[in-house]
Amino acid sequence: MSVGFGTSTESLFKLKCQPAVGVIGQTTHISCSIELYTKPKPVVINTVTLTRSGEKKSCFAIQPFENIQIGDSRFDVENGPSLQLHNTTFSDEGEYWYIIRTNLGQDDVQFTINVTAKYSNPIITSVQKEIVNDGAADLYCSASGGYPAGTIHWFDQSNTNWTKSATLQSTQGNDGLFSLSSKLSFQKIDLLWAHFRCVVINNKYEEEGGTTSTLEIEGNYCLVYL
């Protein structure tokens, strides 16, 4: 099936699509609509074609009345011009050209798909079982299974941000998902700063999850319970 691009001068409608945000492993809904230039008329969609920007070959096309469908079977037409993408993966992220042919002409539009995956709730650990007040201390916070790459922030009980004193490692696995690991080091820790909280921040600078370490004092020592 071959469909050329370019808006037809004879088209009696305008095709519009909203940017879509999908979650890895779930169904992404791409909301599109038809705006008629004339009095309302029944619109019959004859051909739908979807092509990734920069590529010549269509990734999905369908002629519903001919029962012909080619390309990625995860795509489907939903409620007229709107689309669905099942089992979304991080590789689906990008820009697309969408064209439809109808009984009222044809039109095309460009839209984007952004893909996300939520990180697991972070976990705080420490190699040291006992932390001495005014002594050295290392705290670790880790989270996994997220996309795109995020970051980890550290806060003490007064909500002071200690992130500048931490080092972050971000690793992308073979499945495209990221794992985050942050190390917060102190040469001299003050027990007045406890309890410490680590928070996962996504690429939109939104908090996705957080956890708090419990510090309890026994004599001159503070025990870290994780």
Side-chain angles (χ1 to χ4, degrees), residues 114-130:
N114 291 313
V115 179
T116 65
K118 187 175 181 180
Y119 285 89
S120 62
N121 205 47
I123 298 174
I124 295 178
T125 59
S126 176
V127 175
Q128 299 142 301
K129 296 301 181 182
E130 294 184 351

Side-chain angles (χ1 to χ4, degrees), residues 152-156 158-165 205:
I152 288 177
H153 282 207
W154 289 90
F155 301 91
D156 63 19
S158 63
N159 211 36
T160 299
N161 194 325
W162 287 87
T163 305
K164 290 184 178 180
S165 300
Y205 214 76

Side-chain angles (χ1 to χ4, degrees), residues 44-57:
V44 179
I45 298 176
N46 299 317
T47 305
V48 163
T49 305
L50 190 64
T51 304
R52 297 195 69 141
S53 293
E55 298 183 3
K56 295 182 178 180
K57 185 178 180 181

